[in-house]
Amino acid sequence: MRFENLRSFLEALRKENQLKVISAPVDPNLELAEIHRRVIDEQGPALLFTNVKGASFPVVTNLFGTSRRVDLAFGPRPEQLMKDIIAAKDTLLPPTPKAVWDQRQLLLDLLKVGTKNVSSDAAPVLQQCKTEAPLAGLPVLTSWQEDGGPFVTLPLVYTEHPENGHHNLGMYRMQVYDDRTTGMHWQIHKGGGFHYHEAEKRGQALPVTVFLGGPPALIASAIAPVPEHLPELLLTSLIMGQKLPLVANPQGGHRLVAEAEFAICGSVAPHVRRPEGPFGDHYGYYSLTHDFPVFNVSHMWHRKDAIYPATIVGKPRQEDYYLGEFLQKLLSPAFPMAMPGVKDLWTYAETGFHALAAAIVRESYSREAIVSAFRILGEGQLSLTKFLMVTDRELDLERFPTLLETVLERFDPLQDLYVFGNTSHDTLDYTGDRLNHGSKAVLVGVGEPKRELPAVYMGGELPGISAAAVYCRGCLVVSGASYTDDPGLASRLVEEAGDRLAQWPLVIVADETSIAGDQTAFLWTVFTRFNPAADIYARTQVNRHHIGYELPLVIDARMKPGYPDELFPREDIVKLVDSRWSEYFA
């Protein structure tokens, strides 16, 4: 099934009993977000709020909050088409009459990829236009009590390169300051930010159009980690299986997505910054206040009965987990073509994606895995990866305990761990020394096993440790005092108990050992709370400028001073939603 717009998808959700209409009055400030969080935790339906206080439009959330709804939105066709495209390169290059005939269905499908111009009569987005206080009445949500204000959570931000016209469609947080001004959270290594950088060098304002709604494929394409020069609108068309309808903007500027719910038009002036934040984010913490560019809105087009799509960000798993799962499976067939030697690649939504990635690589000659690791770290947004694990064994990368055991069995600590200081970090990762700066690590485990991994801890008491639990074979989670009370605990473990712990290749010092019982809790806690260059402890030796390590590797993954606060809902909002729960779902 192909969905050309948001409302056709909502109708399909209704038929599948995957949409709940909430007609009770709901406050967009904190209350709506708390309802959403509870429903997504229960794997519940999408939510259509038709009575949002102070708003002129209804709000829909949790569109993609289960794997089932993602499958319904996109189906198996895009993944199969991508596989067919990659496979066809071996038969169509060079093309022969037989090869073209054999691939005729694929070629017909590819002829449907692209955009098409439609008349204003065929573009519902042009039904109404607001020029006075254009953002007034939008039901912009506030998700967490310490947020700096409401922000647009599903903006599809369209820009064009000021020199060559190449476009980018990305999703960047937009704090609403007033009825015609928002922030524009362009992080490092984001396509829209590159366009703005080029415009700013020229002293020019960058025209920006922000779409809300439209085909579900448009939302997926905006967050897809595609190479910088791959047009997102073409990816949208590929996922849809048909050309994407665009219409000229009567006010001038970018063409508009004809089936969008809203099109917010304006520009971002050069050399203007304004404090943005703090905001609860998909890392599960508050990102702090920083200066970002400012989006000045000139006018807003919208359907006469427009629906405002939104999501809520917070601790995993949220909607981005399920969309990320789909997009990685969609794009994975292209990895070997873009990065020879990389057979499979996975980034972990439980860690905020950039904090942890893993790959299956080719090892046809000694140390080839390192070549593939460097290639991954040099590829687009993957360059922000903080911790990368690579192996040459065939396995399901989504099952992290299996991956970790495979690597821990095989890596040589003297040569297979690389830590790189003074590198870039994801903007939302605050484990580094300052914004956008931190370190990276690569852990390689290839070939045949080098050791047996223990499955039960029987080493007795450890200095400063009050509890221990096994996460998987070879990985022990321990806890003791907080970092504030005992910052030297991890270092002391290496010095005083290193020999006793040597059979455990990896020891995690955490605030709670309960994280060992759950993959999501383990990944989120560990990889959002340590910086490789600062928080990996081991006995070391230096040989020809290479640092070799001795087992165990101890990672200090405790909360540390300066880290942003973890996200928790406000108690009075929790009580309010408790008291009204039956009213919402009457």
Side-chain angles (χ1 to χ4, degrees):
M1 185 178 296
R2 299 169 181 174
F3 299 109
E4 297 181 357
N5 51 43
L6 175 63
R7 51 205 57 224
S8 62
F9 181 47
L10 294 181
E11 184 57 34
L13 293 180
R14 280 194 181 95
K15 292 178 180 178
E16 294 287 329
N17 294 318
Q18 286 289 304
L19 179 68
K20 172 61 182 177
V21 177
I22 297 179
S23 57
V26 173
D27 197 327
N29 180 38
L30 302 181
E31 182 183 9
L32 192 152
E34 176 63 14
I35 297 168
H36 168 104
R37 286 192 289 266
R38 296 187 188 195
V39 171
I40 199 170
D41 284 347
E42 297 171 358
Q43 294 277 284
L47 303 172
L48 179 60
F49 298 89
T50 59
N51 190 357
V52 181
K53 294 179 182 179
S56 305
F57 306 96
V59 175
V60 65
T61 74
N62 202 22
L63 289 167
F64 308 106
T66 65
S67 296
R68 178 186 175 191
R69 285 203 293 283
V70 171
D71 289 342
L72 181 63
F74 309 116
R77 181 195 160 279
E79 289 183 43
Q80 188 57 53
L81 179 59
M82 183 64 77
K83 292 176 182 177
D84 292 343
I85 292 171
I86 301 303
K89 69 179 178 63
D90 295 326
T91 57
L92 288 176
L93 296 176
T96 64
K98 182 180 185 305
V100 170
W101 178 254
D102 289 343
Q103 297 290 346
R104 60 190 182 279
Q105 185 57 55
L106 172 62
L107 296 174
L108 288 172
D109 287 338
L110 290 178
L111 289 175
K112 301 174 185 176
V113 174
T115 63
K116 64 179 181 180
N117 294 319
V118 299
S119 67
S120 58
D121 293 340
V125 72
L126 294 180
Q127 288 172 345
Q128 295 190 5
C129 185
K130 292 180 66 176
T131 55
E132 295 295 326
L135 301 179
L138 275 184
V140 188
L141 307 183
T142 302
S143 302
W144 300 96
Q145 60 271 18
E146 294 181 29
D147 283 358
F151 76 97
V152 183
T153 55
L154 278 182
L156 311 177
V157 181
Y158 179 88
T159 58
E160 294 179 356
H161 193 287
E163 181 178 347
N164 56 36
H166 293 163
H167 77 258
N168 174 260
L169 185 74
M171 190 172 292
Y172 314 112
R173 186 171 68 209
M174 294 168 50
Q175 178 175 352
V176 176
Y177 298 127
D178 53 46
D179 289 341
R180 59 184 325 117
T181 311
T182 80
M184 186 58 72
H185 191 88
W186 275 322
Q187 301 172 28
I188 62 172
H189 223 297
K190 304 294 184 180
F194 289 147
H195 291 176
Y196 179 62
H197 175 70
E198 291 299 323
E200 199 169 45
K201 285 196 305 184
R202 294 166 168 79
Q204 302 171 355
L206 180 70
V208 174
T209 302
V210 178
F211 302 108
L212 301 177
L218 195 70
I219 298 174
S221 298
I223 66 172
V226 297
E228 182 182 344
H229 299 298
L230 177 65
E232 285 85 0
L233 295 189
L234 294 188
L235 179 61
T236 300
S237 172
L238 184 146
I239 296 173
M240 290 173 62
Q242 61 191 54
K243 291 185 182 296
L244 177 68
L246 301 178
V247 64
N249 184 346
Q251 300 273 8
H254 301 141
R255 292 183 298 169
L256 307 180
V257 175
E259 292 287 345
E261 299 293 311
F262 300 85
I264 305 170
C265 307
S267 63
V268 178
H271 310 296
V272 176
R273 300 293 188 272
R274 183 169 174 175
E276 187 259 15
F279 283 111
D281 61 42
H282 68 275
Y283 271 66
Y285 308 93
Y286 285 101
S287 58
L288 305 181
T289 301
H290 302 285
D291 289 343
F292 276 92
V294 178
F295 178 39
N296 300 294
V297 180
S298 60
H299 61 283
M300 180 177 76
W301 295 96
H302 65 87
R303 291 172 178 256
K304 62 183 179 183
D305 57 349
I307 301 170
Y308 179 88
T311 189
I312 307 299
V313 294
K315 296 177 186 176
R317 300 180 176 182
Q318 302 293 333
E319 285 185 79
D320 60 345
Y321 175 90
Y322 301 99
L323 276 174
E325 186 178 54
F326 161 73
L327 288 168
Q328 293 196 76
K329 291 177 179 177
L330 173 68
L331 299 173
S332 61
F335 293 148
M337 185 169 66
M339 297 178 285
V342 178
K343 299 179 180 179
D344 198 7
L345 178 68
W346 193 256
T347 62
Y348 293 84
E350 298 97 328
T351 72
F353 293 106
H354 291 316
L356 175 64
I360 299 173
V361 300
R362 184 180 62 205
E363 179 81 346
S364 61
Y365 60 88
S366 178
R367 315 308 288 166
E368 184 182 10
I370 300 299
V371 176
S372 296
F374 289 157
R375 183 65 185 265
I376 292 167
L377 293 178
E379 186 67 35
Q381 293 185 35
L382 288 168
S383 66
L384 297 178
T385 300
K386 181 168 69 174
F387 200 95
L388 173 63
M389 303 176 68
V390 297
T391 184
D392 62 343
R393 304 291 99 174
E394 297 294 332
L395 50 83
D396 181 359
L397 291 175
E398 294 180 62
R399 297 176 58 192
F400 184 75
T402 303
L403 165 73
L404 185 57
E405 289 179 353
T406 300
V407 172
L408 294 182
E409 283 178 330
R410 290 166 171 80
F411 90 101
D412 179 351
L414 291 177
Q415 64 176 1
D416 289 337
L417 174 63
Y418 296 81
V419 178
F420 307 101
N422 304 311
T423 65
S424 58
H425 254 196
D426 181 39
T427 300
L428 301 180
D429 189 330
Y430 284 90
T431 60
D433 297 330
R434 55 195 172 103
L435 185 68
N436 296 328
H437 292 73
S439 61
K440 303 183 186 303
V442 175
L443 185 61
V444 179
V446 298
E448 297 303 315
K450 294 178 173 63
R451 64 185 60 84
E452 291 282 339
L453 299 178
V456 178
Y457 177 69
M458 302 177 65
E461 292 187 5
L462 295 168
I465 298 302
S466 58
V470 175
Y471 172 64
C472 66
R473 290 187 303 113
C475 178
L476 184 67
V477 179
V478 300
S479 65
S482 69
Y483 184 91
T484 301
D485 292 338
D486 189 358
L489 176 58
S491 177
R492 200 162 62 251
L493 271 180
V494 172
E495 294 171 3
E496 299 179 14
D499 291 338
R500 278 193 288 147
L501 288 170
Q503 64 174 327
W504 293 90
L506 184 61
V507 177
I508 306 293
V509 181
D511 292 306
E512 302 285 345
T513 58
S514 59
I515 65 170
D518 177 74
Q519 175 171 314
T520 297
F522 178 85
L523 290 176
W524 176 68
T525 303
V526 172
F527 290 93
T528 65
R529 296 185 182 180
F530 90 96
N531 177 20
D535 297 318
I536 296 178
Y537 295 85
R539 291 171 289 195
T540 62
Q541 52 184 274
V542 179
N543 183 21
R544 295 185 176 182
H545 301 285
H546 174 76
I547 298 176
Y549 301 84
E550 298 178 21
L551 298 183
L553 301 178
V554 176
I555 291 177
D556 192 337
R558 294 174 293 172
M559 286 290 285
K560 301 176 181 70
Y563 284 9
D565 291 338
E566 185 178 335
L567 298 177
F568 294 103
R570 206 169 73 190
E571 288 188 14
D572 62 319
I573 297 298
V574 172
K575 292 177 181 177
L576 172 67
V577 172
D578 283 343
S579 67
R580 298 193 63 198
W581 194 254
S582 60
E583 182 184 352
Y584 304 138
F585 296 96

